[in-house]
Amino acid sequence: MNAPSVDAIVVDERGFPAPMTCPDPRHWTAHKLWLSQRNDREPVKKGRDLAQALAVISLLKDRMPQLPIDATFLATLPKELANQMDSSIEKKPSVGPNW
């Protein structure tokens, strides 16, 4: 996937700072939403993909205001994927087993 990267400083297991470059989490989330809708995807993986996407959407909304899922971002995605991501913004992630 041709997504822009995000640079951050993370803390390693020894407590030292380490630079990290990763794909923009909004694009990663869009990819996971796309995977969750594919007919050829294993059902277990589809559920996991959707749960991961919803969890990252929640993190983006609550903890990463510098990376908004707004009209400007959605315009960078294919229309069908932008619509899917826009409708997923309001969903709440599952935070445990549904017993």
Side-chain angles (χ1 to χ4, degrees):
M1 194 158 117
N2 189 16
S5 62
V6 174
D7 294 315
I9 301 296
V10 298
V11 179
D12 71 12
E13 61 188 18
R14 299 168 297 159
F16 290 103
M20 182 175 190
T21 301
C22 60
D24 182 325
R26 298 171 297 178
H27 286 272
W28 182 89
T29 300
H31 178 71
K32 284 296 194 169
L33 285 171
W34 173 75
L35 284 174
S36 75
Q37 297 301 312
R38 291 186 50 93
N39 292 331
D40 62 345
R41 189 84 167 148
E42 294 176 33
V44 171
K45 290 183 179 181
K46 288 172 73 167
R48 182 185 63 209
D49 292 332
L50 180 59
Q52 289 172 343
L54 295 177
V56 174
I57 286 171
S58 180
L59 287 171
L60 285 164
K61 287 177 12 183
D62 296 344
R63 305 286 180 164
M64 302 181 86
Q66 72 275 25
L67 297 173
I69 302 174
D70 56 9
T72 303
F73 168 72
L74 293 173
T76 67
L77 299 175
K79 186 176 181 177
E80 184 177 320
L81 190 52
N83 291 339
Q84 184 180 7
M85 189 145 181
D86 193 34
S87 67
S88 297
I89 292 172
E90 298 305 318
K91 293 182 180 175
K92 297 288 184 189
S94 173
V95 291
N98 183 10
W99 302 8

